[in-house]
Amino acid sequence: MSLYSHLLEPLDLGFTKARSRVLMGSMHTGLEERKGGWERQAEYFKQRAIGGVGIIVSGGIGPNEEGVGVQGGAILVNDEQVAKHQIVTKAVHEVEGALICMQILHTGRYAYNSKAVSASAVKSPIHPFPPKELDAQGIEKQIQDFVTCALLAQKAGYDGVEIMGSEGYFINQFIVKHTNKRTDEWGGSYENRIRLAKEIVRRTREAVGEKFIIIYRLSMLDLVEDGSTWDEVVYLGKEIEKCGATMINTGIGWHEARVPTIATSVPRAAFVDVTARMKKELSIPLITTNRINTPEVANAIVAEGQADMVSMARPMLADPYFVTKAAAGRGDEINTCIGCNQACLDHVFSGGEVSCLVNPYACNETILIDQPVVLKKKIAVVGAGPAGLAAATTAARRGHEVTLFDAASEIGGQFNIAKQVPGKEEFFETIRYFGKMISSTGVELKLNTRVAAKDLISAGFDEVLLATGIIPRLPELEGVDHPMVLNYLDVLKHKKPVGKRVAVMGAGGIGFDVAEYLVHGKTTPSIDKAQFMKEWGVDLKVAGAGGLIQPEVEPAAREVTLVQRKKTKVGAGLGKTTGWIHRTTLKHKNVQMINKAQYLKIDDAGLHIELDGEVKVLEVDNVIVCAGQDPQRELQAALVEAGLSVHLIGGADKAAELDAKRAIKQATELAAAI
Ligand code: FAD
Ligand code: NAP
Ligand code: SF4
């Protein structure tokens, strides 16, 4: 029997069958609106179908212009658009047993769109446009547009639709008092507020007939003020079931909620209890979601009857073959989503194309292609951090003879340091994945081997890839050699003792990580689900409206001050969708944040800075330097001089603003071309 037999068991929906219990959750990729994007999406989805996903759900498609997130966003309102969608459905259906549903997404007041409409003219705190309040006729039009959109999806060859009723979008805005101030039949009582959701599902079912999947995404935990109570959520679920939905998917948190719901610092399967509780109330299949990224976790959820299906969205970007690898007992070869959002959600919110930090092939299936090599080369890769690992395994997979060297006793480079940070434990999975790839692609790994140029020159390599990373920067400052001064490696890697009062010099990604490491106690919320819920004020029992309670944050283990020279807000350069989480976490722990500082000196009294023309002393036990990095490329000159073909990748190429996304992408592209 398979290790993951529950996850791999088909799900009978009566008129059709999902091949596995894995649903690929809806993700906007940005390809919907790009030239040639439909062809690229076709290959992207087809690979996930080949990879064994039970039901694929497309990115959100608007039922009309006022419903799209941004002007020019994808809508499905006519036959010309149907033809585009057919490119996708045809490609997916070439894979036997594959099912694909289209998500109908009406964003309501979440539209970056002057045409935005909603239940009431209540502006969202995270969007600039106040929505127009719909009149009764306007509401009728919206319902009809949903139904027409579903019919067109059916015509386009989809196996069903997902009606997006959660995350604070249009339908959700009618359900909750916070955004619905109406006094007519669409507002006031709960029955009136859920009328829109019911009418959309009921009329869609009437229009599409019995043999078409309707998934309704229901907000089970709003995490906003005046959100639904548990009794209301259950009542809505029962009504949606009566209206003809095939399945109900779980929605957790509105986009404006101040609780992290999918970031890497959220514990795995953090919100599954909510779906599990709902399961006792309904008879149609339920799908659970949020931060489920391994076959072990997903299988356990189905085995324990907490949900009938498991929605994984980003994990399908990270590895299209998640399900087939699990089915073949090769779960350890899955490239795991680490929840970083860096190449997916962060790109959506900056109007870019989605890909994946750990898998740059995602959404680039027709562009970035590994061709088997014609001329086998002998390649040396120096440095087994993310860049070196990606380059070595890609080149070897294509057929090159690759030797990978690292001075350290383990692979992973800086990811071994990153994984020490509370809330970044998932980074371990990338090291685990590459470890497995090294053996399966036949890379010769030489650890504990600090390479010198002469070794490489004498060994006769055709190509040398230098992935030697970075050197932490030590600013020129009086007293920087004082014993109280440490750098981030001293703290995170060498675990040197750190006092109770600390100044962190430099507030980039690493400065924030070091501060987080220093303020946390023994347990961390990313591992301890109960602590996470307590610290972020979440009541999974949803006793009150929206499931919010007063947060209870554990006192900080140290007094930390985070300092930068720039005038910008401290943390402004962090990830678009995760920066607020880091800033809030540190504020909860009373970390002081100082910008516009000029460093003067360090002595026994502490760190001396000039701030707004005044000299200030931060009286601390330690100053931790997190002042960026410089490239480490000492081998380059001698190799070039000896006439070797040398390539710099990752930090060795460019240390400024380097992240693993850039390192892995650059390395993979080079190794795919070499
Ligand atoms: P490195 O990871 O630095 O690897 C270089 C390797 O080369 C090392 O293993 C070293 O031992 C080896 N080496 C060097 N010289 C030699 C030699 N002569 N012979 C043999 N081996 C040699 N990035 C993100 O994208 N997101 C994050 O959230 C994130 N968080 C981070 C948190 C922390 C605390 C840290 C420290 C970094 C974080 N990063 C993050 C940055 C990310 O880890 C780096 O961008 C990435 O590791 C760079 O990869 P690289 O392969 O270029 O270099
Ligand atoms: P960074 O983001 O470039 O930040 C370096 C910090 O040091 C800045 O705050 C800078 O601020 C300060 N600094 C630069 N030169 C200095 C000098 N000479 N003296 C004093 N201060 C100086 O680099 P990092 O924090 O080392 O992180 C490295 C990379 O890892 C980042 O670029 C990031 O992409 C990645 N990373 C990402 C995450 C994430 O969450 N996505 C987390 C960790 C790391 P001032 O110039 O204003 O003082
Ligand atoms: Fe997951 Fe990060 Fe890839 Fe997004 S970019 S899919 S969060 S690993």
Side-chain angles (χ1 to χ4, degrees):
M1 200 170 93
S2 160
L3 266 177
Y4 313 112
S5 55
H6 298 277
L7 192 66
L8 300 170
E9 197 186 328
L11 178 65
D12 195 349
L13 298 173
F15 57 94
T16 189
K17 217 181 238 181
R19 295 174 297 166
S20 69
R21 302 302 181 101
V22 174
L23 177 132
M24 174 174 166
S26 175
M27 280 175 292
H28 185 82
T29 59
L31 296 181
E32 296 84 349
E33 295 87 18
R34 291 280 190 290
K35 197 161 176 278
W38 291 97
E39 289 73 14
R40 284 175 65 187
Q41 279 189 86
E43 193 54 30
Y44 155 71
F45 283 126
K46 186 176 177 179
Q47 290 307 315
R48 275 75 195 161
I50 291 170
V53 171
I55 301 178
I56 294 171
V57 182
S58 77
I61 302 291
N64 52 33
E65 279 190 5
E66 55 272 32
V68 291
V70 286
Q71 253 163 19
I75 54 175
L76 180 55
V77 298
N78 61 36
D79 282 345
E80 203 185 315
Q81 291 151 354
V82 165
K84 300 281 187 205
H85 286 264
Q86 279 166 342
I87 302 171
V88 166
T89 55
K90 189 169 163 287
V92 169
H93 288 145
E94 279 165 14
V95 181
E96 204 189 323
L99 297 177
I100 180 161
C101 295
M102 189 192 85
Q103 187 187 71
I104 308 180
L105 170 66
H106 190 312
T107 56
R109 72 177 192 150
Y110 278 166
Y112 274 103
N113 183 343
S114 54
K115 292 181 187 158
V117 294
S118 187
S120 303
V122 183
K123 194 181 93 58
S124 139
I126 54 171
H127 287 76
F129 298 107
K132 185 171 139 276
E133 177 173 318
L134 287 162
D135 58 16
Q137 217 183 343
I139 293 174
E140 192 55 41
K141 175 190 177 296
Q142 303 302 318
I143 298 171
Q144 194 45 52
D145 287 348
F146 268 91
V147 177
T148 307
C149 189
L151 279 169
L152 289 170
Q154 196 172 34
K155 193 170 172 184
Y158 286 103
D159 302 288
V161 288
E162 177 173 78
I163 296 172
M164 182 36 140
S166 66
E167 286 15 44
Y169 288 119
F170 183 63
I171 298 176
N172 219 176
Q173 291 158 23
F174 271 75
I175 294 173
V176 163
K177 275 190 262 178
H178 181 63
T179 40
N180 185 343
K181 310 285 180 197
R182 304 177 74 94
T183 51
D184 60 2
E185 60 174 329
W186 302 100
S189 67
Y190 191 63
E191 193 60 53
N192 281 353
R193 283 183 276 130
I194 63 170
R195 192 181 304 282
L196 177 81
K198 286 169 58 180
E199 282 303 296
I200 289 173
V201 177
R202 189 179 64 73
R203 292 197 221 172
T204 302
R205 173 57 74 207
E206 267 174 25
V208 298
E210 289 305 310
K211 295 186 174 173
F212 193 65
I213 300 169
I214 298 181
I215 304 168
Y216 180 83
R217 186 122 187 236
L218 191 148
S219 183
M220 296 191 195
L221 189 62
D222 289 321
L223 300 176
V224 290
E225 237 180 87
D226 276 343
S228 297
T229 62
W230 184 247
D231 289 347
E232 289 174 338
V233 169
V234 171
Y235 180 71
L236 175 60
K238 290 184 172 169
E239 291 296 299
I240 292 294
E241 181 169 337
K242 281 192 226 158
C243 289
T246 318
M247 313 169 85
I248 289 183
N249 194 356
T250 304
I252 302 288
W254 288 34
H255 284 311
E256 68 205 60
R258 301 319 280 166
V259 177
T261 52
I262 62 164
T264 188
S265 53
V266 176
R268 288 179 178 175
F271 300 100
V272 72
D273 301 18
V274 178
T275 319
R277 206 164 153 219
M278 191 72 156
K279 252 206 69 66
K280 299 189 183 92
E281 308 282 351
L282 304 181
S283 48
I284 56 174
L286 282 194
I287 306 156
T288 196
T289 181
N290 285 50
R291 279 286 287 124
I292 299 162
N293 63 342
T294 68
E296 286 76 18
V297 174
N299 189 65
I301 288 169
V302 182
E304 285 163 27
Q306 292 175 299
D308 303 283
M309 263 190 122
V310 177
S311 170
M312 287 180 269
R314 296 171 301 166
M316 297 302 138
L317 283 177
D319 197 331
Y321 313 113
F322 185 105
V323 183
T324 44
K325 285 181 183 175
R330 297 189 285 119
D332 57 349
E333 286 183 27
I334 292 174
N335 195 357
T336 306
C337 165
I338 59 172
C340 66
N341 286 357
Q342 285 176 238
C344 54
L345 265 194
D346 284 354
H347 285 203
V348 171
F349 284 95
S350 46
E353 277 176 22
V354 161
S355 188
C356 173
L357 178 141
V358 299
N359 175 27
Y361 297 90
C363 294
N364 294 314
E365 288 78 6
T366 55
I367 298 168
L368 181 55
I369 300 166
D370 284 357
Q371 302 281 12
V373 295
V374 182
L375 186 66
K376 187 171 175 168
K377 290 181 181 172
K378 195 173 163 195
I379 298 178
V381 180
V382 187
L389 289 167
T393 54
T394 305
R397 195 167 47 236
R398 292 185 53 227
H400 288 305
E401 184 189 331
V402 181
T403 310
L404 174 62
F405 302 93
D406 203 295
S409 59
E410 56 183 356
I411 61 163
Q414 290 179 64
F415 263 33
N416 286 307
I417 307 163
K419 75 177 192 214
Q420 313 284 332
V421 176
K424 285 199 169 167
E425 295 82 1
E426 291 285 6
F427 283 53
F428 160 76
E429 297 293 346
T430 304
I431 306 174
R432 187 262 312 144
Y433 165 75
F434 276 121
K436 191 71 201 168
M437 287 303 104
I438 284 176
S439 46
S440 69
T441 58
V443 170
E444 189 183 350
L445 176 65
K446 296 200 169 177
L447 292 174
N448 300 305
T449 310
R450 177 163 291 281
V451 182
K454 63 173 175 31
D455 308 330
L456 296 168
I457 295 165
S458 60
F461 288 106
D462 300 312
E463 310 273 356
V464 178
L465 276 53
L466 290 181
T468 42
I470 51 81
I471 307 165
R473 186 180 294 136
L474 189 64
E476 278 178 28
L477 180 68
E478 186 186 331
V480 82
D481 53 352
H482 191 282
M484 75 155 70
V485 179
L486 303 173
N487 73 12
Y488 62 86
L489 295 179
D490 295 327
V491 177
L492 297 175
K493 189 175 175 187
H494 307 301
K495 312 280 183 214
K496 291 201 176 157
V498 179
K500 283 282 177 198
R501 300 164 311 155
V502 180
V504 177
M505 236 177 112
I510 292 178
F512 264 79
D513 278 352
V514 165
E516 198 136 340
Y517 177 85
L518 292 173
V519 292
H520 277 290
K522 283 210 164 56
T523 59
T524 73
S526 51
I527 298 293
D528 184 332
K529 196 158 132 178
Q531 194 187 342
F532 176 89
M533 299 303 162
K534 218 163 87 176
E535 296 216 346
W536 288 98
V538 178
D539 169 24
L540 286 180
K541 296 215 156 56
V542 203
L548 289 177
I549 48 171
Q550 191 60 34
E552 273 178 58
V553 180
E554 282 197 0
R558 292 181 179 82
E559 281 173 35
V560 175
T561 307
L562 196 49
V563 192
Q564 72 175 29
R565 299 169 305 174
K566 283 190 282 291
K567 288 186 183 141
T568 47
K569 184 167 82 171
V570 176
L574 298 175
K576 227 175 162 58
T577 61
T578 49
W580 69 272
I581 302 171
H582 296 298
R583 289 190 294 271
T584 309
T585 306
L586 295 193
K587 268 185 199 147
H588 283 169
K589 298 282 188 188
N590 286 325
V591 171
Q592 302 304 306
M593 301 194 194
I594 297 179
N595 58 358
K596 300 182 287 181
Q598 286 307 315
Y599 302 117
L600 301 176
K601 63 175 178 178
I602 299 167
D603 62 16
D604 290 346
L607 174 63
H608 298 242
I609 58 172
E610 188 182 315
L611 192 61
D612 295 326
E614 277 182 37
V615 173
K616 228 178 141 181
V617 185
L618 303 178
E619 291 173 11
V620 291
D621 307 308
N622 290 104
V623 175
I624 321 280
V625 179
C626 304
Q629 295 101 12
D630 296 310
Q632 169 150 287
R633 47 170 95 125
E634 61 192 6
L635 300 175
Q636 187 192 19
L639 296 174
V640 171
E641 199 174 309
L644 264 70
S645 172
V646 180
H647 310 262
L648 294 170
I649 49 176
D653 176 39
K654 199 166 163 236
E657 290 168 25
L658 172 78
D659 59 20
K661 179 178 73 176
R662 175 149 67 82
I664 292 177
K665 183 167 185 287
Q666 183 193 28
T668 307
E669 286 173 352
L670 174 70
I674 209 164

